[in-house]
């Protein structure tokens, strides 16, 4: 593997959710540790599963992985980091200020802003703080999903800019009190990131068009902010031998090879490694040790009988959605599980029945237009573009609240409107605007990856509390977006997952988070099922067998109702294939 | 020289643009503070959510919070004495406290950057 050769001190693994970043980061950590280096593996993913991969609890303290000498791990949990930050601020005044005042401070420090900044603080400390990191030869970051990572990486640059502008107290940097103290840390973090001798960025992608395009975008965005030392890893490539063994495998192989030959130009100049698809789940040390070696994987000889899977189709699920005549349908789940495709499939299936549908997405990495590839009666499509929404929000605030300011006052306001929190607010407002339509028609939403979605819901909750406080006093009737999400008659949440251990666990965690917010998921959708596609190739059959256990878990423990969507031999693009995905027969052309 | 200390309620940031609804009073006041500083005034702002220790350590502010609660903020001290509470001062008031002259030119352009119209 090229990306392992002469590995520098900092290694970042990034890419869409579900591409296998964590597995590859863990396998890399094991490899380097077993070569005698001292390695610290860090996850900044809000839904980290590094601990699960090694079968040990890790959390926010550096923990030795006993099974691998020299290997240590750390999971930066943004919520825990935010709690620690709150404690640091609020702790000293407890008992000194009235209890109600202390509660008010805590409430103010419970927003997305605090969470983001607290996690970021820990992250930059690892890039610069020698007291913590000097004992390690390599620090490996298994980072959060793409959009969030980029934002974290861009922040030091943006904030250094703020600081250089010299307005120490004016800028809207949220809870970053005593900013000057952090200044050296942020600027050192930027230096470390931009130094090719110290930092290598490994873009992980699946051999799929959308994943490769996403990697190309990330490549360009990160190169633009100075991260030039980049490698590409294409993970989960179907071995050529399998293609000879059945039609599905042959089609998948052809599909992957076509995606590879269409690799965006931006990526072609990067050193590239290919990791073959394995028949086993990448959990546990033995599996991880085999991930980066080229030898053919051992396949269970007992495979032979086609796997039988009887499960409801997406179309059957849509029957239940259609029955209500209108409402909000939200698809949630980790990035890379296929929310965009399934949102399009649900929307097309509803529209095909003659029902009015508005399909919309807030996923920064969405390719809705490409997925739909055409149009359909009764169906309108829109996209919440975070950049466009943020700009619109800025202009709106400047136009209204900034109207009476002089030039200098406007400049100050504009500076504050560059704060990292503005985007959350702007996206939230666009989101609220669209879901109001769900009273008359179907609104199908494809949300951004898990962590971001939860931040959004947080904003919704904060807004709800604010409105409730004002309107309860007046005895008025009102309906906040949060109330709409909690009302099962108005909103159906579909949790999307794959039939693999980690994605199922992550979906279950998300379900628990949603329940805490008073939102009960209506159904689960298991996407890209190999078992439902009834393969004959031994490798795919082995994977199909592994899937059955996960489908069973979803059906019996996690979901109130569920559906299984098969892996298609063709990419699910266009109306007729989306209908096929939902489980109905393709209509004659 | 006169020191004006502004004790803000728990805010995300000084203009409040991080909140769900941007507060016009905060936006206007932030601009006025900036203006007054440019004119030579000495003004300090403390945000309850970010620097609560400063509130707790100032006997006047602490007593005010105990008596009136955080809803009564902002509190403005001029040379340590309570000069205003419950609302933000306007540009005129800032100018008077700080002993700086309101320049006519600052009022032109927009309809009312001062306190005399709208």
């Amino acid at each position: 593997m090229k990306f392992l050769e002469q590995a520098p001190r900092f290694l970042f693994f990034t890419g869409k959710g579900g591409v296998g970043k964590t597995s590859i980061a863990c396998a890399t950590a094991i490899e380097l540790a077993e070569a005698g280096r001292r390695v610290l593996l860090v996850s900044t993913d809000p839904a980290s599963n590094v601990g699960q991969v090694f079968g040990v609890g890790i959390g926010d303290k550096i923990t030795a992985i006993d099974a691998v000498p020299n290997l240590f791990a750390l999971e930066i949990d943004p919520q825990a980091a935010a709690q620690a930050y709150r404690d640091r601020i609020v702790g000293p005044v407890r008992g000194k200020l009235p209890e109600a005042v202390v509660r008010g401070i805590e409430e103010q420090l419970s927003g997305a802003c605090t969470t983001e900044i607290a996690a970021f603080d820990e992250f930059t400390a690892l890039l610069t703080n020698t007291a913590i990191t000097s004992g390690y030869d390599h620090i490996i970051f298994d980072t959060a999903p793409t959009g969030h990572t980029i934002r974290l990486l861009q922040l030091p640059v943006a904030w250094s800019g703020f600081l250089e502008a010299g307005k120490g107290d004016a800028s809207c940097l949220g809870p970053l009190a005593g900013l000057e103290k952090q200044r050296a840390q942020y600027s050192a973090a930027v230096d470390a990131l931009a130094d090719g001798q110290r930092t290598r960025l490994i873009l992980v992608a699946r051999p799929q068009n959308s994943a490769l395009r996403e990697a190309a975008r990330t490549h360009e965005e990160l190169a633009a902010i100075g991260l030039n030392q980049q490698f590409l890893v294409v993970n989960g490539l179907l071995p050529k031998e399998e293609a000879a063994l059945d039609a599905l495998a042959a089609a998948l192989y052809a599909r992957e090879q076509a995606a590879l030959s269409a690799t965006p130009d931006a990526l072609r100049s990067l050193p590239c490694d290919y990791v073959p698809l394995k028949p086993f789940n990448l959990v546990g040390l033995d599996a991880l040790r085999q991930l980066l070696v080229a030898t053919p994987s051992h396949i269970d000889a007992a495979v032979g009988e086609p796997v039988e899977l009887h499960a409801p189709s997406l179309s059957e699920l849509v029957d239940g959605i259609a029955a209500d005549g209108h409402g909000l349908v939200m698809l949630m789940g980790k990035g890379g599980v296929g929310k965009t495709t399934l949102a399009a499939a649900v929307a097309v299936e509803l529209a095909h029945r003659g029902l009015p549908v508005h399909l919309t997405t807030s996923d920064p990495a969405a390719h809705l237009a490409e997925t739909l590839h055409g149009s359909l009666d009764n169906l309108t499509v829109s996209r919440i573009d975070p950049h466009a929404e943020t700009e619109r929000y800025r202009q709106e605030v400047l136009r209204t609240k900034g109207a009476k300011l002089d030039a200098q006052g406007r400049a100050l306001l504009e500076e504050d409107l560059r704060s990292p929190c503005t985007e959350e607010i702007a996206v939230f407002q666009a989101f609220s605007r669209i879901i109001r339509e769900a009273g008359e028609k179907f609104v199908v939403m494809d949300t951004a990856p898990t962590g971001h979605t939860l931040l959004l819901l947080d904003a919704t909750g904060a807004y709800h509390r604010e409105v409730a406080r004002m309107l309860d006093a007046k005895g008025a009737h009102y309906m906040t977006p949060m109330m709409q999400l909690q009302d099962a008659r108005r909103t159906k949440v579909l949790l999307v997952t794959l039939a693999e251990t980690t994605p199922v666990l992550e979906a279950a965690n998300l379900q628990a988070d949603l329940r805490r917010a008073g939102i009960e998921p209506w159904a689960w959708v298991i996407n890209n099922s190999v078992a439902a596609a009834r393969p004959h190739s031994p490798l795919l059959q082995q994977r199909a067998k592994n899937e059955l256990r996960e489908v069973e878990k979803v059906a019996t423990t996690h979901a109130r109702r569920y559906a299984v969507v098969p892996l298609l031999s063709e990419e699910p693009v266009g109306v007729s294939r989306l209908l096929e995905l939902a489980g109905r027969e393709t209509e004659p052309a | 020289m006169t020191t004006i200390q502004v004790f803000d309620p728990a805010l995300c940031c000084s203009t409040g643009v991080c909140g769900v609804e941007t507060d016009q009073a905060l936006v206007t006041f932030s601009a006025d503070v900036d203006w007054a500083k440019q004119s030579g005034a000495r003004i300090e702002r403390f945000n309850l959510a970010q620097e609560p220790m400063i509130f707790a350590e100032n006997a006047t502010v602490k007593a005010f919070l105990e008596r009136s609660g955080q809803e009564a903020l902002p509190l403005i001290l001029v040379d340590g004495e309570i000069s205003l509470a419950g609302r933000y001062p306007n540009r005129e008031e800032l100018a008077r406290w700080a002993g700086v002259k309101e320049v006519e030119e600052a009022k032109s352009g927009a309809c009312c950057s001062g306190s005399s119209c709208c």
Side-chain angles (χ1 to χ4, degrees):
Chain A
M1 294 281 144
K2 295 178 193 132
F3 76 84
L4 282 169
E5 288 165 17
Q6 294 170 347
R9 183 130 195 270
F10 300 115
L11 290 160
F12 281 84
F13 289 87
T14 186
K16 251 175 112 144
V19 295
K21 287 191 300 284
T22 299
S23 305
I24 293 180
C26 291
T28 301
I30 294 169
E31 181 125 350
L32 291 171
E34 290 185 341
R37 313 285 181 75
R38 273 175 72 86
V39 178
L40 177 61
L41 175 60
V42 181
S43 167
T44 56
D45 192 326
S48 168
N49 51 51
V50 170
Q52 189 214 344
V53 166
F54 286 107
V56 288
I58 296 174
D60 60 357
K61 296 270 183 312
I62 294 179
T63 304
I65 305 294
D66 291 335
V68 185
N70 301 323
L71 180 56
F72 300 81
L74 170 66
E75 290 170 338
I76 298 180
D77 171 1
Q79 299 298 339
Q83 185 60 50
Y85 181 89
R86 272 195 294 278
D87 291 345
R88 222 161 41 237
I89 298 241
V90 174
V93 294
R94 243 180 246 289
K96 291 191 175 148
L97 289 178
E99 189 46 40
V101 172
V102 173
R103 265 201 311 279
I105 299 171
E106 282 179 316
E107 173 121 350
Q108 182 60 46
L109 293 175
S110 302
C113 219
T114 309
T115 311
E116 177 135 350
I117 286 165
F120 178 73
D121 244 14
E122 294 215 9
F123 167 79
T124 51
L126 287 169
L127 283 170
T128 53
N129 187 337
T130 48
I132 300 173
T133 55
S134 60
Y136 302 95
D137 299 309
H138 299 286
I139 300 170
I140 298 177
F141 291 89
D142 168 25
T143 64
T146 312
H148 194 69
T149 307
I150 290 173
R151 231 155 24 129
L152 281 183
L153 294 178
Q154 281 172 333
L155 286 178
V157 179
W159 287 359
S160 300
F162 272 159
L163 298 175
E164 268 145 36
K167 301 216 174 92
D169 65 325
S171 294
C172 186
L173 292 171
L176 254 190
L179 201 60
E180 284 299 315
K181 279 176 281 178
Q182 312 281 12
R183 183 174 181 165
Q185 178 163 320
Y186 294 141
S187 116
V190 177
D191 289 347
L193 289 172
D195 180 356
Q197 299 296 314
R198 281 187 282 169
T199 299
R200 179 175 296 174
L201 185 89
I202 298 120
L203 303 162
V204 184
R206 293 268 185 203
Q208 295 161 352
N209 285 320
S210 62
L212 288 165
R213 273 194 302 261
E214 172 76 18
R217 264 193 291 272
T218 309
H219 160 72
E220 281 168 356
E221 281 179 305
L222 294 179
I225 58 168
L227 271 88
N228 290 310
Q229 185 67 240
Q230 300 192 11
F231 285 63
L232 176 66
V233 173
V234 178
N235 185 33
L237 203 62
L238 190 72
K240 194 175 182 185
E241 315 83 83
E242 296 293 322
L245 301 170
D246 81 2
L248 176 66
L252 287 179
Y253 180 77
R255 186 168 139 182
E256 291 183 354
Q257 294 301 314
L260 287 180
S261 41
T263 298
D265 287 339
L267 296 179
R268 286 183 187 277
S269 57
L270 303 182
C272 180
D273 292 298
Y274 300 92
V275 176
L277 186 69
K278 305 287 174 178
F280 46 81
N281 272 327
L282 287 159
V283 173
L285 276 179
D286 289 339
L288 287 170
R289 283 198 183 101
Q290 286 185 58
L291 177 61
L292 300 178
V293 296
T295 48
S297 312
H298 174 72
I299 291 170
D300 190 347
V303 175
E305 291 295 303
V307 172
E308 287 293 323
L309 172 63
H310 302 283
S313 70
L314 187 60
S315 179
E316 288 166 62
L317 218 54
V318 172
D319 290 342
I321 297 171
D324 288 342
H326 64 90
L328 175 66
V329 181
M330 286 188 82
L331 287 96
M332 295 191 188
K334 214 191 162 214
V337 294
K339 290 187 298 290
T340 307
T341 304
L342 291 185
V346 168
V348 165
E349 179 67 31
L350 285 166
H352 197 72
R353 298 170 187 215
L355 297 161
V357 185
H358 179 176
L359 170 63
T360 187
T361 176
S362 67
D363 188 341
H367 323 288
L368 256 191
E370 295 157 40
T371 304
L372 210 56
H373 196 72
S375 62
L376 194 62
D377 285 345
N378 311 316
L379 180 63
T380 52
V381 178
S382 70
R383 170 162 186 243
I384 298 175
D385 173 351
H387 289 295
E389 292 302 335
T390 308
E391 192 47 37
R392 191 214 304 232
Y393 175 75
R394 279 190 198 122
Q395 293 308 326
E396 173 69 15
V397 173
L398 283 170
R399 194 176 59 75
T400 54
K401 316 287 179 179
K404 294 177 183 170
L405 302 180
D406 55 28
Q408 184 150 358
R410 277 179 74 85
L412 190 76
L413 181 60
E414 269 189 281
E415 186 177 291
D416 270 10
L417 284 169
R418 280 198 293 271
S419 126
C421 315
T422 318
E423 182 174 314
E424 296 291 339
I425 303 290
V427 170
F428 166 70
Q429 290 191 342
F431 166 79
S432 319
R433 214 161 40 232
I434 287 173
I435 67 178
R436 260 180 245 129
E437 287 180 26
E440 294 124 43
K441 52 166 92 164
F442 283 102
V443 175
V444 180
M445 273 204 80
D446 152 33
T447 66
T450 307
H452 191 260
T453 305
L454 292 178
L455 292 180
L456 197 61
L457 288 175
D458 236 28
T460 316
Y463 179 72
H464 169 73
R465 285 192 297 276
E466 201 154 301
V467 172
R469 200 172 50 227
M470 292 186 306
L471 295 186
D472 274 342
K474 296 180 192 157
H477 289 284
Y478 55 91
M479 169 68 110
T480 64
M482 191 64 167
M483 290 161 78
Q484 181 161 351
L485 295 181
Q486 288 167 335
D487 184 346
R489 286 166 307 167
R490 294 166 191 268
T491 303
K492 291 186 172 66
V493 171
L494 307 186
L495 273 181
V496 184
T497 184
L498 304 175
E500 291 169 29
T501 320
T502 305
V504 167
L505 195 83
E506 282 168 351
N509 288 341
L510 176 56
Q511 175 157 278
D513 283 343
L514 289 169
R515 282 177 175 160
R516 271 195 292 278
I519 298 167
E520 180 62 36
W522 187 74
W524 284 46
V525 183
I526 299 171
N527 193 22
N528 280 341
S529 166
V530 177
R534 299 169 187 242
H536 295 281
S537 118
L539 191 154
L540 292 183
Q541 277 201 21
Q542 186 60 52
R543 289 188 70 91
K545 279 197 166 176
N546 296 343
E547 279 188 357
L548 293 182
R549 199 177 46 236
E550 301 302 326
V551 174
E552 177 69 15
K553 249 190 261 172
V554 170
T556 57
T557 30
H558 297 312
R560 298 157 68 99
R561 47 180 84 71
Y562 77 106
V564 175
V565 173
L567 178 64
L568 294 192
S569 57
E570 313 271 356
E571 272 208 70
V573 173
V575 170
S576 64
R577 283 198 203 135
L578 286 169
L579 288 171
E580 191 187 336
L581 201 66
R584 47 162 80 202
E585 294 304 310
T586 314
E587 298 184 5
Chain B
M1 189 188 192
T2 311
T3 300
I4 302 170
Q5 290 173 304
V6 181
F7 293 85
D8 283 306
L11 297 173
C12 179
C13 58
S14 57
T15 47
V17 295
C18 292
V20 172
E21 185 68 46
T22 304
D23 185 348
Q24 181 69 62
L26 277 171
V27 171
T28 307
F29 180 62
S30 295
D32 288 344
V33 167
D34 192 55
W35 166 83
K37 280 184 175 174
Q38 299 289 327
S39 312
R42 188 187 296 167
I43 305 181
E44 297 171 344
R45 275 184 89 174
F46 306 104
N47 179 340
L48 179 60
Q50 293 171 3
E51 300 166 280
M53 265 317 265
I54 292 174
F55 289 65
E57 283 167 351
N58 183 314
T60 309
V61 179
K62 189 181 171 193
F64 176 82
L65 274 178
E66 278 163 359
R67 196 164 49 238
S68 307
Q70 59 188 324
E71 294 76 16
L73 293 174
L75 175 69
I76 290 92
L77 303 188
V78 178
D79 284 338
E81 283 180 23
I82 295 184
S83 300
L84 189 67
R87 72 166 172 85
Y88 286 101
N90 57 37
R91 196 169 277 208
E92 233 169 37
E93 287 164 322
L94 282 179
R96 187 168 68 233
W97 293 335
V100 297
K101 255 200 149 59
E102 240 191 304
V103 188
E104 203 55 35
E105 177 252 342
K107 285 185 179 177
S108 63
C111 136
C112 54
S113 50
S115 57
S116 54
C117 67
C118 295

